[in-house]
Amino acid sequence: MTTYHELTGFQRDLLTAIAGVADEPYGLALKDYLDEHYPKPINHSRLYQNLDELVEAGLVSRESLDERTNAYRLTDAGESCLQAQAETLASVCDTRQVVADGGDRQ
């Protein structure tokens, strides 16, 4: 099974985008989500090539919405992959945090 660390940074961001898109996670909605987080617009070819790779890896499923549009959803493996990374980040971020006034918050 493909692990989170075997993915490219862009593929990791795609998993996050699929989980984060409120409406139907179709290609252009994912592109719009990523365009808000990247300094330059995402190339369509790059987007769909990486979505295809995530589908092949079993982390994402593709479902036809109509003749031209596919929806992308995390599979159980994709959700587990993203959840494991979220738990790792939460555990390392659960340390002392600097607050705006320069003090510490625990």
Side-chain angles (χ1 to χ4, degrees):
M1 181 170 107
T2 302
T3 67
Y4 188 81
H5 298 288
E6 293 173 304
L7 301 173
T8 67
F10 185 72
Q11 290 169 338
R12 294 173 187 175
D13 290 345
L14 269 173
L15 292 180
T16 303
I18 292 168
V21 170
D23 294 326
E24 200 69 53
Y26 60 96
L28 290 179
L30 296 172
K31 181 182 179 324
D32 289 344
Y33 180 95
L34 291 169
D35 281 345
E36 291 179 16
H37 298 87
Y38 274 68
K40 295 181 181 177
I42 302 301
N43 179 293
H44 285 185
S45 175
R46 178 182 186 199
L47 174 73
Y48 291 106
Q49 177 184 4
N50 281 279
L51 284 169
D52 288 345
E53 290 177 15
L54 290 172
V55 168
E56 289 175 22
L59 300 174
V60 172
S61 66
R62 178 178 32 231
E63 174 185 313
S64 179
L65 292 177
D66 60 39
E67 292 180 15
R68 295 181 43 96
T69 308
N70 292 315
Y72 297 89
R73 292 185 177 76
L74 296 177
T75 62
D76 288 344
E79 285 185 33
S80 294
C81 184
L82 198 57
Q83 182 65 35
Q85 182 61 14
E87 290 170 4
T88 298
L89 289 173
S91 72
V92 298
C93 292
D94 191 25
T95 59
R96 295 177 67 149
Q97 300 175 11
V98 176
V99 293
D101 66 1
D104 288 329
R105 176 178 46 197
Q106 297 203 357

